[in-house]
Amino acid sequence: MAAFDSPLQRIENMLKGIVGEISGTDTDDRMYDSIQELWKYELNTTKDDPDWYEKANNYWEDEENCPITDDGVLQGYGRLTEPDVRASNIFLDNVLKLRPGLELKRAADCGAGIGRVTKHFLLNRFEKVDLIEQSARLLASSAVYIGEESIRTTCVNIGLQNFEPAPNSYDVIWIQWVIGHVHDVDCIRFLERCAAGLTSNGVIILKDNAAEGWTFVVDKEDSSLSRSPEYIVLLAELAGLKSILREKQTGFPEELFPVLMIAFIPNEESTKRKIT
């Protein structure tokens, strides 16, 4: 884990330059004032303990935690699918206005789970969709869940920390409710690889929880964290991306984290600060 130390220090210094003091917490009420402290604590496991990624995979592989339903993958909030899909369609339409050359031939659904986003949204907009998912159990259920339209999908059983799209392969890489499972340094590397996997007018779209009042909030149960908007955007910029559109999801219950949708494209003028 020592390989992450120096990059994390640089990320932390940059983040402090944007937000000032760093403040984090977790669901065990532990408090943090440093992302280095966060990752040192979370990655401090023995060889017999599951690591950060194994903990997350173990959570989603357990049917008691996540039945094969919308309610299961949305942790009791299956009713959010309708407003979620409606907002995603509007956001994609707005991206198309900014990127008129964007084609809708092939998309990647990152963190696809059972294929909820693919079934209700992406297959209605794209010719083909690749489901990228670490949980073999969830992915194996996708064909039945999606139904006959699953013929237009391809399943890729891999975590985002290891996913490497082929160059020039995707018009849109859709990353929803999953980036919080990815370590900061792995996140930058993943987004760099995604940028290389885009077609000429392609877009990376990130849709995820946004921590408000905190730099980050860690969910100990499923091994994930919600980052502040500044934190998310910094990691993307360090991957050589720039945001072209940002919108907030509407119609969700107030007790939930705010959800942001951000569209990124490669920043051709970037003088990317290499930290990985």
Side-chain angles (χ1 to χ4, degrees):
M1 302 305 177
F4 285 142
D5 291 350
S6 181
L8 282 176
Q9 182 175 1
R10 295 172 195 164
I11 293 169
E12 181 166 305
N13 290 341
M14 293 175 191
L15 188 57
K16 282 183 176 179
I18 298 168
V19 302
E21 295 301 314
I22 289 174
S23 61
T25 188
D26 66 24
T27 49
D28 288 341
D29 295 325
R30 184 182 178 89
M31 307 298 287
Y32 302 90
D33 59 9
S34 163
I35 61 173
Q36 294 179 88
E37 179 189 358
L38 159 69
W39 290 116
K40 181 178 180 180
Y41 181 75
E42 289 296 337
L43 300 179
N44 185 25
T45 59
T46 68
K47 65 178 182 179
D48 296 322
D49 291 331
D51 68 13
W52 173 259
Y53 293 116
E54 288 172 323
K55 289 177 185 176
N57 192 55
N58 291 344
Y59 177 88
W60 295 107
E61 284 284 86
D62 189 337
E63 189 168 1
E64 288 189 8
N65 295 328
C66 179
I68 305 299
T69 62
D70 282 15
D71 250 358
V73 295
L74 293 179
Q75 299 178 307
Y77 285 92
R79 66 186 184 277
L80 298 184
T81 290
E82 183 179 349
D84 172 40
V85 170
R86 182 170 60 249
S88 294
N89 272 304
I90 292 171
F91 188 76
L92 181 57
D93 287 339
N94 289 337
V95 169
L96 285 165
K97 293 174 185 175
L98 297 173
R99 303 281 283 179
L102 174 62
E103 297 186 282
L104 301 181
K105 292 181 179 179
R106 187 180 179 198
D109 180 1
C110 292
I114 61 175
R116 186 190 67 89
V117 171
T118 290
K119 175 179 180 176
H120 297 288
F121 169 48
L122 294 174
L123 281 174
N124 293 321
R125 304 300 300 267
F126 294 84
E127 296 175 12
K128 295 181 180 180
V129 180
D130 290 356
L131 282 69
I132 317 300
E133 172 56 49
Q134 178 168 270
S135 168
R137 180 182 72 91
L138 297 181
L139 197 60
S141 71
S142 64
V144 172
Y145 174 83
I146 293 170
E148 61 183 20
E149 290 301 315
S150 65
I151 195 172
R152 296 194 284 124
T153 69
T154 300
C155 293
V156 183
N157 184 201
I158 195 169
L160 301 191
Q161 68 275 13
N162 297 316
F163 176 55
E164 187 164 356
N168 196 41
S169 55
Y170 293 111
D171 299 304
V172 169
I173 297 178
W174 191 275
I175 309 164
Q176 180 162 348
W177 279 327
V178 67
I179 205 69
H181 287 299
V182 185
H183 183 285
D184 291 350
V185 177
D186 285 339
C187 180
I188 295 169
R189 293 169 177 164
F190 161 67
L191 291 173
E192 288 175 337
R193 296 192 301 270
C194 285
L198 292 175
T199 55
S200 58
N201 289 295
V203 179
I204 296 168
I205 297 179
L206 181 67
K207 184 169 186 176
D208 217 301
N209 296 342
E212 283 192 341
W214 299 95
T215 310
F216 58 84
V217 178
V218 181
D219 187 328
K220 299 289 289 183
E221 186 176 24
D222 68 0
S223 195
S224 69
L225 73 157
S226 297
R227 298 175 173 96
S228 68
E230 296 86 359
Y231 195 170
I232 295 169
V233 170
L234 173 62
L235 296 180
E237 289 179 345
L238 288 171
L241 303 175
K242 67 177 179 181
S243 62
I244 59 169
L245 184 65
R246 182 192 302 195
E247 293 179 5
K248 187 176 181 179
Q249 169 76 43
T250 60
F252 279 9
E254 290 185 3
E255 71 265 20
L256 299 179
F257 280 105
V259 173
L260 287 182
M261 296 170 282
I262 310 176
F264 295 99
I265 61 172
N267 185 359
E268 303 299 337
E269 300 178 356
S270 172
T271 55
K272 185 172 58 177
R273 297 161 286 186
K274 192 73 173 178
I275 60 92
T276 60

